[in-house]
Amino acid sequence: MSPRLFIGLNINTWMTMALLIHIHMAMVPPTPINSRASASEGTIESDIHVEGAKMRRSELHATFTLQDGRTVMTDRYYSAPLRFSRSFRTSGDGGGLCVYTSDVSPGVLNGDHYHSNWQLGKDTHVMLSSTSATRLHPTPSLPSSIHHHFRLEQGAVLEYFPECVIPFKGSSSSLHSTFELGEHCILAYADIWSAGRIHRGESFQFHNYRSLTEIWQGQHLAVWDRFGLEPKSNDPRQSAALLHHTHTAALWMIAPNLGATQLELIRSALPPDGRMLAGASLLATGGIGVRILGTAAWELQEQCLHIWNTLRPQLLGSGALKFRK
């Protein structure tokens, strides 16, 4: 019987956790489990009725191309409650485009299925974030799910720093993020998660939560990272997986020629022992992964940006990345 609590880590992981399933793979042929043509990418009807409950599909799509040295959103589509909040250019980032998305509803509700698709053309540069946390509401009859799919063509740059994911009491939800990178692409992605509405005294009261991050470099699988919790089956506060922490962050940085020198630079930027526990390691196919445990979402968000900004001038020739919200 497989354990109810599992966390997938890089092969050179810095942390040993209880109930650990190691799922990192690189340069392996597709299988029914790791194939990009996964069942979650199949067609899902917009309205599905199951025993009186209703599953709703909301979509968001965007295409970016390079025009006269500037990244331009040439095509977009969204259906409520997902929407594009704003897009603008920042000083010091050349022709890059900063984009914010938002959810105009209270959050991801019972039976909701969110799907976003992003196409970044050759040499485009997109800085992406969300205006508020991803709030996963109770799901009394149907689970909810979110799927993000990114495809980057040669030389494209994506800096993706969404707000925290918060599973509410009584929720059963999943998050699946897929990145397909062409040659010479650069990716920075921060995945930040909270155990609940901590400020209201609600922690680890959701039914279950599952997440999967896939990062492909051509046909090579660079990251296959799974995380799952079912607090009623295995109390995470009684295991070594999270210790006393209530928040987690995973920061994935993929770029050409990242190696030991850049890893040491990243490690020098990690928070000292105290409120947060952090570590970094090289990925098998090139890149750096960082893990952080903490007790506040804003601290992990600031730390992820701080870590990325230690490499950003070297990789992009730009100053520090800041999101104005």
Side-chain angles (χ1 to χ4, degrees):
M1 179 180 297
S2 61
R4 296 286 187 174
L5 171 63
F6 51 90
I7 298 179
L9 295 175
N10 178 259
I11 189 171
N12 297 318
T13 184
W14 51 274
M15 183 184 297
T16 300
M17 292 183 173
L19 300 176
L20 169 66
I21 296 181
H22 174 77
I23 315 179
H24 173 82
M25 295 178 290
M27 302 179 65
V28 296
T31 70
I33 294 178
N34 66 33
S35 173
R36 281 177 290 181
S38 60
S40 61
E41 294 183 287
T43 301
I44 297 179
E45 298 179 18
S46 59
D47 294 294
I48 300 175
H49 299 270
V50 179
E51 297 181 357
K54 184 178 181 180
M55 178 178 290
R56 294 174 296 250
R57 178 181 173 96
S58 299
E59 298 185 2
L60 185 148
H61 302 268
T63 301
F64 302 88
T65 59
L66 193 68
Q67 298 182 1
D68 298 324
R70 291 156 62 95
T71 298
V72 178
M73 187 187 298
T74 54
D75 189 22
R76 70 175 187 174
Y77 166 82
Y78 60 88
S79 59
L82 297 177
R83 66 186 294 267
F84 295 96
S85 177
R86 59 186 298 214
S87 61
F88 57 93
R89 303 192 187 278
T90 60
S91 60
D93 282 308
L97 186 66
C98 189
V99 178
Y100 290 167
T101 62
S102 61
D103 181 349
V104 297
S105 73
V108 186
L109 305 177
N110 182 69
D112 281 355
H113 178 82
Y114 289 3
H115 184 98
S116 70
N117 189 60
W118 305 81
Q119 306 284 336
L120 277 65
K122 182 180 178 181
D123 296 327
T124 55
H125 180 189
V126 175
M127 295 153 280
L128 179 62
S129 187
S130 52
T131 58
S132 61
T134 299
R135 300 177 295 273
L136 305 175
H137 284 260
T139 54
S141 57
L142 282 175
S144 59
S145 64
I146 303 172
H147 183 216
H148 303 301
H149 186 231
F150 297 85
R151 181 174 288 111
L152 282 65
E153 295 183 10
Q154 181 178 353
V157 177
L158 173 63
E159 300 173 90
Y160 182 31
F161 288 80
E163 292 291 324
C164 184
V165 176
I166 307 175
F168 286 15
K169 179 180 179 180
S171 65
S172 296
S173 307
S174 62
L175 170 65
H176 185 180
S177 300
T178 304
F179 302 85
E180 296 183 37
L181 310 183
E183 292 183 354
H184 310 298
C185 287
I186 295 177
L187 169 68
Y189 168 50
D191 179 15
I192 299 175
W193 177 87
S194 170
R197 293 174 288 184
I198 306 301
H199 62 286
R200 299 182 56 176
E202 179 185 298
S203 64
F204 299 108
Q205 295 184 33
F206 51 88
H207 290 318
N208 64 71
Y209 175 77
R210 297 284 185 271
S211 73
L212 169 61
T213 298
E214 297 179 65
I215 303 178
W216 293 81
Q217 293 178 274
Q219 297 300 313
H220 297 162
L221 183 59
V223 173
W224 179 273
D225 186 55
R226 299 189 67 177
F227 175 85
L229 283 175
E230 290 184 9
K232 287 186 178 180
S233 299
N234 294 93
D235 187 352
R237 289 165 293 194
Q238 301 299 320
S239 76
L242 296 174
L243 301 175
H244 64 281
H245 301 93
T246 55
H247 294 70
T248 70
L251 175 61
W252 305 105
M253 295 168 286
I254 309 290
N257 302 317
L258 286 184
T261 300
Q262 290 75 26
L263 177 62
E264 290 307 311
L265 185 62
I266 289 297
R267 286 176 171 169
S268 68
L270 297 178
D273 294 340
R275 290 178 56 85
M276 291 178 280
L277 178 64
S281 64
L282 290 174
L283 303 180
T285 60
I288 296 174
V290 177
R291 297 280 191 188
I292 312 176
L293 298 178
T295 55
W298 68 268
E299 289 183 326
L300 298 187
Q301 290 168 333
E302 288 191 353
Q303 192 62 45
C304 285
L305 273 174
H306 170 66
I307 293 170
W308 169 239
N309 283 330
T310 62
L311 290 182
R312 196 171 193 261
Q314 174 184 340
L315 297 176
L316 302 179
S318 304
L321 175 63
K322 297 179 181 179
F323 289 103
R324 305 193 302 258
K325 299 182 182 180

